[in-house]
Amino acid sequence: MLWKHIWLFLLRLLISYFGVVQSIYVSTDQPDVVVNVGNNATLDCAYRTNVGSMFSLEWRFAAGTKADAEAAKILYYTDGKTYTLGPQANRIKLIAQNPIHGVASIRIENTRSSDTGRYSCDINNPPDFTGPTEAFVNLVVRVPPSTPECKVTGKPYFGNNVTLLCRSTEGWPMPKYVWSEVNPGTAEPSSKVMIKDSNKGTLFLRNLTMEYSGTYKCVASNVLGERSCQLVLTVTVNNEAGVIVGAVFGTLIALLLIAVVTYYLLRHRRESPKTPVVGHELREDAVAPGKEVNSHLLVSSVHGQKSNSDSMNSKYNIVV
């Protein structure tokens, strides 16, 4: 590439020295092209110059609608050969197979939404240096809205605020959004149509009441058609408050039960008489259990011995 720039610089010096002026003129008859997705798009580019051996043609593409988007090379022609680059390579064709006769137009087949953007046609034909060497074409591929997604942000509790969101991921021109409330038991919207921020698809519902419960429908539309989605909004009492109230109520019930049981036990204890504890009184002449028969025998034996002794004394008249 360095030698090419050096050669161009030398050519400029020669032209300025000898006063030879060559002109080139590049233009387009259709700077703005609009097609529906799936159709073919022709980008017009024409030029006037005396084609030389160093003639080259280049198409570049900057995606999107921003003017400062970076452009990338998508087609290049030089020395009788054509080169296509990038994701569009298989869908780009030159209108003229040999674009050396003033026609440098291209055709993009089976257009996609990603083809929307700014295209530039650049002719380079040394030693022609004066005049416009580049033309620009803006391509817009129109796409019907994709099926939007409906969702709720915020908690649909009584008294709260929520926002209904509706958004299509595809669609050009940008879809417009309309929210409506669907009649119960039908799929048709009611006469109450609620449009809120039709560009962003948001609907803000403030200070919810039970009457807000129902089915809501969002329609996304542009010049090519429309798509819709639905959601069911159910307004309820705050569950967190219900849990707190339930916990407090349960605690009170538990305390009440404890108090009732405690009262019953205390009352029952007061009303029941105490059973006296009787101890065993021991006497000196008390006989151990199971010894009653033997004791009687012992007494009889002692008495008998005493009688015998008295008899003997009386019999033998023993005097001491």
Side-chain angles (χ1 to χ4, degrees):
M1 295 297 293
L2 180 61
W3 67 268
K4 187 174 182 179
H5 290 292
I6 295 174
W7 174 245
L8 293 174
F9 176 73
L10 292 175
L11 285 175
R12 287 191 179 96
L13 289 178
L14 289 172
I15 291 172
S16 62
Y17 181 77
F18 292 103
V20 180
V21 178
Q22 298 290 338
S23 65
I24 185 171
Y25 184 81
V26 181
S27 63
T28 179
D29 290 337
Q30 290 183 300
D32 297 296
V33 178
V34 179
V35 296
N36 294 339
V37 65
N39 292 344
N40 298 337
T42 299
L43 309 185
D44 178 71
C45 180
Y47 65 90
R48 292 198 305 266
T49 187
N50 294 320
V51 175
S53 61
M54 299 185 68
F55 172 86
S56 67
L57 163 64
E58 182 176 292
W59 277 91
R60 291 186 297 274
F61 168 59
T65 57
K66 296 182 180 180
D68 58 349
E70 184 178 355
K73 187 184 297 185
I74 58 173
L75 183 143
Y76 187 74
Y77 174 89
T78 185
D79 196 22
K81 296 180 180 180
T82 303
Y83 306 90
T84 55
L85 308 166
Q88 300 164 307
N90 296 331
R91 298 184 292 114
I92 298 177
K93 302 289 188 295
L94 282 167
I95 299 298
Q97 291 185 352
N98 192 6
I100 60 175
H101 303 293
V103 178
S105 303
I106 61 172
R107 180 176 63 252
I108 302 177
E109 300 176 343
N110 189 24
T111 54
R112 305 171 184 173
S113 59
S114 57
D115 294 331
T116 294
R118 192 172 189 236
Y119 295 78
S120 62
C121 172
D122 186 13
I123 301 294
N124 187 20
N125 186 43
D128 296 350
F129 296 106
T130 62
T133 62
E134 191 173 18
F136 296 93
V137 179
N138 294 313
L139 172 63
V140 174
V141 180
R142 298 191 300 188
V143 181
S146 59
T147 300
E149 179 186 6
C150 289
K151 61 181 181 180
V152 181
T153 61
K155 297 180 178 180
Y157 295 150
F158 187 90
N160 277 10
N161 303 329
V162 298
T163 301
L164 307 188
L165 301 178
C166 178
R167 197 69 178 171
S168 295
T169 56
E170 290 188 349
W172 190 264
M174 292 298 293
K176 301 293 184 181
Y177 302 94
V178 176
W179 279 100
S180 60
E181 186 178 6
V182 178
N183 287 326
T186 70
E188 296 298 326
S190 66
S191 58
K192 181 183 177 183
V193 177
M194 299 164 292
I195 302 175
K196 196 73 172 180
D197 199 347
S198 61
N199 292 325
K200 294 184 179 180
T202 59
L203 175 63
F204 185 68
L205 302 179
R206 185 189 301 274
N207 194 18
L208 293 179
T209 61
M210 296 304 179
E211 287 72 20
Y212 279 94
S213 295
T215 302
Y216 292 81
K217 180 179 181 179
C218 173
V219 177
S221 63
N222 64 11
V223 294
L224 293 186
E226 64 181 38
R227 297 289 188 276
S228 64
C229 61
Q230 293 184 1
L231 62 81
V232 176
L233 180 67
T234 303
V235 180
T236 59
V237 178
N238 191 338
N239 289 334
E240 295 177 359
V243 170
I244 295 173
V245 171
V248 173
F249 183 76
T251 302
L252 292 176
I253 292 296
L255 292 175
L256 181 61
L257 289 175
I258 292 172
V260 170
V261 171
T262 303
Y263 172 78
Y264 174 79
L265 291 175
L266 292 175
R267 183 177 179 181
H268 180 71
R269 185 174 181 181
R270 290 175 182 175
E271 292 178 354
S272 300
K274 293 183 178 180
T275 302
V277 178
V278 179
H280 293 284
E281 183 179 351
L282 298 178
R283 296 183 303 174
E284 293 181 358
D285 58 349
V287 180
K291 300 297 182 177
E292 291 81 0
V293 176
N294 294 332
S295 61
H296 289 296
L297 293 175
L298 180 60
V299 172
S300 299
S301 176
V302 172
H303 182 74
Q305 290 179 1
K306 186 177 179 180
S307 299
N308 292 335
S309 177
D310 292 341
S311 298
M312 290 180 66
N313 289 335
S314 61
K315 183 178 180 179
Y316 292 100
N317 295 318
I318 297 174
V319 178
V320 182

